[in-house]
Amino acid sequence: ASQGDAALTARVLDIAYGQGGEKNANPGSANLKRLIARENVVMTRGQDRIVSAVADFDVAANRGVLYGGVVVTSGADRKVMAARAAIDSSKDTILLTGQKVVVVQADNSLEGTRLFYDQRNGIMHLTSPGTKTTAAGRVRARFASQRQRTAKQTVQAVSQTSGAFGQSFNTDPNAPVEVVATSLSVNDQKREAVFKGGVEAMQGGFGIKTEVL
């Protein structure tokens, strides 16, 4: 199935239609209400690719839910892994959840259990909230040492993984920077990333603790 520059493939595709005759409906999609894709689901759009076990789309609301080994890739080295993804195309947002949500960009990584990304406004929130049976967890970030890449490569990698640290400690500058916190908020437009809540940052044998970084 395809629409515009987006394509969907799967071994099984169920299509639900509504009654015809709706006024002001879009041509060619007036009766299409719901798509359910199962088994080896692959969605592509430009350089973006999403793989999952099941994808359920509410066509009228322009929303979809994907679950079962969700893997989102963009470009050659950007990847996000989660158990479930809720997509709202009308708002350009995606919510990824699971026991472990991992974002990887080159040698940099982020980890939590809930990642919300507002593509339209360039805003991301990474948290690890608790449930009825489990306590709240922590988010983790790991950034490659600036000594291992040029300044331009570092800025690009940090920005694209929706994380930033900005400085290297004087001790063991070749070691990666690791950060643990309650939450991470990123604003791409301001090029700003803020860790909050019992923040612990470490590079080699040197570390700092603060509430906000």
Side-chain angles (χ1 to χ4, degrees):
S2 62
Q3 183 177 30
D5 60 348
L8 168 68
T9 62
R11 292 190 63 184
V12 179
L13 180 62
D14 295 329
I15 302 175
Y17 291 93
Q19 295 181 351
E22 292 119 331
K23 295 182 180 180
N24 302 321
N26 292 327
S29 63
N31 298 327
L32 186 60
K33 295 184 64 177
R34 187 178 180 189
L35 293 174
I36 302 176
R38 299 191 301 272
E39 300 182 30
N40 299 327
V41 179
V42 179
M43 296 173 54
T44 57
R45 183 177 182 180
Q47 292 188 333
D48 298 332
R49 185 173 188 265
I50 305 178
V51 177
S52 68
V54 179
D56 187 345
F57 296 98
D58 183 333
V59 179
N62 211 14
R63 291 194 295 263
V65 177
L66 294 82
Y67 48 93
V70 178
V71 179
V72 183
T73 56
S74 181
D77 61 355
R78 279 173 284 180
K79 181 184 292 186
V80 183
M81 293 160 282
R84 184 180 186 273
I87 301 171
D88 189 334
S89 298
S90 64
K91 297 180 179 179
D92 286 335
T93 63
I94 181 169
L95 174 63
L96 297 123
T97 56
Q99 291 185 342
K100 183 181 290 187
V101 177
V102 180
V103 183
V104 178
Q105 163 70 31
D107 298 326
N108 305 298
S109 64
L110 303 173
E111 182 180 316
T113 63
R114 184 184 189 276
L115 187 150
F116 176 78
Y117 184 57
D118 180 345
Q119 186 175 8
R120 185 177 301 173
N121 297 302
I123 295 173
M124 186 211 80
H125 298 291
L126 178 66
T127 57
S128 292
T131 66
K132 293 182 179 179
T133 58
T134 61
R138 308 272 277 162
V139 302
R140 300 178 182 276
R142 186 180 190 275
F143 306 115
S145 169
Q146 293 186 15
R147 292 289 184 89
Q148 298 175 358
R149 53 178 74 227
T150 66
K152 182 177 181 181
Q153 288 173 328
T154 300
V155 171
Q156 290 177 338
V158 169
S159 175
Q160 290 168 344
T161 52
S162 295
F165 194 76
Q167 297 290 336
S168 285
F169 296 122
N170 292 328
T171 302
D172 194 4
N174 293 316
V177 175
E178 298 183 353
V179 185
V180 180
T182 300
S183 67
L184 168 62
S185 298
V186 177
N187 188 314
D188 288 339
Q189 296 178 359
K190 295 181 179 180
R191 299 185 65 82
E192 178 182 77
V194 179
F195 291 93
K196 291 184 178 181
V199 183
E200 299 179 16
M202 178 73 70
Q203 184 179 39
F206 186 79
I208 62 172
K209 294 182 179 181
T210 181
E211 282 302 307
V212 180
L213 179 63

